Amino acid sequence: MSPSVFDVIVIGAGASGLMLAAMAAARGRRVLVLEKANKVGKKILMSGGGKCNFTNLYVEPENYVSHNPHFVISALSRYSNWDFIGMVCDYGIQYEERKHGQLFTLNGAKEILAMLLKECDKTGLVTIKTSAEVKQVTTLDDHGFQLATTLGFFEAESVVVASGGLSIPTLGGSGVGYEIAKQFGHHIYPTRAGLVPFTFSDGFKEVTTRLSGNAIEATLSNDLNSFTEALLFTHRGLSGPSSLQLSNYWDVGQSFKIDLLPSLDLTHLFKTKKQSQPKVLLRTLLSEHLPKSVVLELQNLIWLEHADTAIGNVSDDKLDAIAAQLHGFEVKPSGTEGYRTAEVTLGGVDTTEVSSKTMESKKQKGLYFIGEVLDVSGHLGGYNFQWAWASAHAAAQYV
């Protein structure tokens, strides 16, 4: 059975894989894209609640988590958020800015996927095959690679691993990229779920279950980072942007702090109210700033013995202690919801063994890694898509 021969084979038809295919074809390369799932771009379609948060107005290297933080600088500077926004505008795709510079489509993620597929169709040089699982990658004697797949054998001069990570396996997430990297001698940083809700198994789980559906603006922090965004209570624990962001900087066994009222100086508020409204109860005062149900749970946890004591009769020391706990409420998750709901996979292919200029392996000529398979994970807010576009652009100039 004679293998079909291409210039470039891309493993994975997600954001980075389709972007690379279109850009490499624009250079005249004949590209084959192999997708394990039955459809392309599944993760694109469900991203941002179906609205696709395709990039961010403010993209900095600090928005990425990696053991090698400088790695992202080169690719991000050569293909910026403005480059991708330009393409979106060329296609007449309407979008809106939400808070923290996040850009979302107005009419759905399908428009971003359609744009990438049109870019792939422009040259007639891109072939996309779905339900195509890669079983084996071998190097050829002269140069290049042969891939054994469920659809037969294919050969190419360059192979680009754009298979993503382990997150949301129902959408095609798999570990094939890590296996290929290991085969060619690459070090893989241990992987874990990122941008993922926290779960609890202690008494705090009962609190979050009772408060399920309530959201507040809060600051979640540990020694590594802090994020002030919406915090959502769920049946399992804590979710919402602030939780998802901090999960990238958290590991099992660690605790973190929640500032439940980051925009207020509670010590000052309590002292002034003690003078001006000495008969007011703490729960009445705090219910002006937090949902009543949240205040009642906090009362049970923090100042139960003073639940019915007027603020004028609570000592200053006690008020200071209550304020400190509300600004630094410590919790210790038992874990996270895992890959099932994670938006990204932390860890992956060690970037010190990959060229930051070309995304080519330093261990195997002609082998490239782009997107989420690398040890690069963005914050919530369009940063992972921007890394997909930028890393694909970097590799597309050289494959």
Side-chain angles (χ1 to χ4, degrees), residues 14-275:
S16 62
L18 293 173
M19 186 75 164
L20 177 128
M23 289 182 152
R27 287 182 50 235
R29 308 293 280 159
R30 286 170 303 119
V31 184
L32 170 66
V33 184
L34 299 172
E35 171 54 53
K36 186 188 85 163
N38 60 347
K39 288 193 182 79
V40 303
K42 279 189 172 184
K43 217 169 158 188
I44 297 173
L45 292 174
M46 63 75 68
S47 65
K51 292 285 189 182
C52 190
N53 178 191
F54 56 85
T55 190
N56 196 292
L57 289 178
Y58 316 103
V59 178
E60 300 293 339
E62 294 76 50
N63 297 125
Y64 294 87
V65 185
S66 174
H67 289 86
N68 177 20
H70 299 294
F71 181 78
V72 299
I73 295 170
S74 173
L76 290 172
S77 61
R78 284 177 292 143
Y79 190 87
S80 74
N81 46 350
W82 300 107
D83 291 313
F84 193 78
I85 292 165
M87 194 199 303
V88 167
C89 291
D90 289 345
Y91 273 82
I93 295 171
Q94 293 180 295
Y95 64 90
E96 63 177 347
E97 180 190 347
R98 297 192 194 168
K99 59 182 182 180
H100 307 295
Q102 300 173 10
L103 301 186
F104 287 81
T105 62
L106 281 176
N107 301 313
K110 58 186 185 302
E111 293 193 333
I112 297 291
L113 180 57
M115 174 184 81
L116 293 170
L117 292 172
K118 273 189 188 148
E119 286 289 304
C120 286
D121 286 345
K122 266 186 180 175
T123 55
L125 294 174
V126 178
T127 304
I128 299 174
K129 292 184 183 290
T130 53
S131 302
E133 198 171 341
V134 175
K135 295 294 188 187
Q136 199 179 9
V137 179
T138 48
T139 49
L140 298 170
D141 289 342
D142 44 358
H143 71 297
F145 303 85
Q146 184 183 77
L147 274 66
T149 78
T150 47
L151 300 180
F153 292 87
F154 302 97
E155 286 181 10
E157 197 179 316
S158 303
V159 167
V160 182
V161 179
S163 53
L166 300 166
S167 43
I168 320 186
T170 51
L171 298 177
S174 84
V176 66
Y178 309 128
E179 288 158 26
I180 293 167
K182 276 183 199 155
Q183 180 192 331
F184 290 99
H186 279 269
H187 169 244
I188 310 290
Y189 280 106
T191 55
R192 61 189 172 88
L195 296 181
V196 64
F198 291 110
T199 55
F200 292 82
S201 56
D202 57 6
F204 190 63
K205 180 182 189 294
E206 290 154 34
V207 175
T208 67
T209 301
R210 288 195 294 271
L211 291 177
S212 183
N214 277 287
I216 61 170
E217 190 82 358
T219 300
L220 271 58
S221 62
N222 60 14
D223 293 341
L224 296 174
N225 219 321
S226 91
F227 297 93
T228 304
E229 288 192 57
L231 173 68
L232 176 69
F233 295 94
T234 74
H235 287 292
R236 294 191 192 88
L238 297 174
S239 188
S242 58
S243 294
L244 300 186
Q245 298 279 35
L246 197 69
S247 72
N248 279 1
Y249 296 89
W250 176 87
D251 223 332
V252 177
Q254 296 173 346
S255 57
F256 61 83
K257 288 197 165 82
I258 305 172
D259 183 342
L260 294 144
L261 288 155
S263 60
L264 287 178
D265 177 347
L266 288 176
T267 306
H268 177 72
L269 179 74
F270 290 165
K271 300 283 165 66
T272 52
K273 290 293 181 185
K274 193 171 177 176
Q275 298 300 319

Side-chain angles (χ1 to χ4, degrees), residues 271-394:
K271 300 283 165 66
T272 52
K273 290 293 181 185
K274 193 171 177 176
Q275 298 300 319
S276 63
Q277 288 176 271
K279 288 195 166 62
V280 78
L281 297 176
L282 278 172
R283 66 169 173 267
T284 312
L285 178 57
L286 289 168
S287 293
E288 291 173 24
H289 305 283
L290 289 169
K292 246 190 194 107
S293 52
V294 175
V295 174
L296 290 173
E297 292 290 348
L298 291 170
Q299 175 179 273
N300 288 340
L301 292 166
I302 301 173
W303 69 92
L304 189 56
E305 73 277 22
H306 295 291
D308 297 310
T309 310
I311 195 168
N313 298 326
V314 183
S315 73
D316 283 0
D317 284 352
K318 184 62 188 175
L319 288 175
D320 288 348
I322 294 168
Q325 269 208 273
L326 289 166
H327 281 313
F329 189 81
E330 193 163 331
V331 296
K332 188 174 181 179
S334 55
T336 69
E337 289 189 11
Y339 292 122
R340 190 179 60 78
T341 58
E343 297 202 16
V344 295
T345 304
L346 296 164
V349 177
D350 186 342
T351 57
T352 59
E353 300 170 351
V354 175
S355 162
S356 63
K357 184 183 178 190
T358 67
M359 302 290 141
E360 186 175 20
S361 162
K362 292 178 181 176
K363 292 177 173 289
Q364 176 60 53
K365 190 171 161 43
L367 181 65
Y368 298 78
F369 297 95
I370 59 173
E372 197 186 340
V373 73
L374 288 160
D375 172 38
V376 173
S377 303
H379 290 175
L380 191 71
Y383 301 103
N384 288 295
F385 272 124
Q386 187 55 40
W387 174 245
W389 317 136
S391 59
H393 169 268

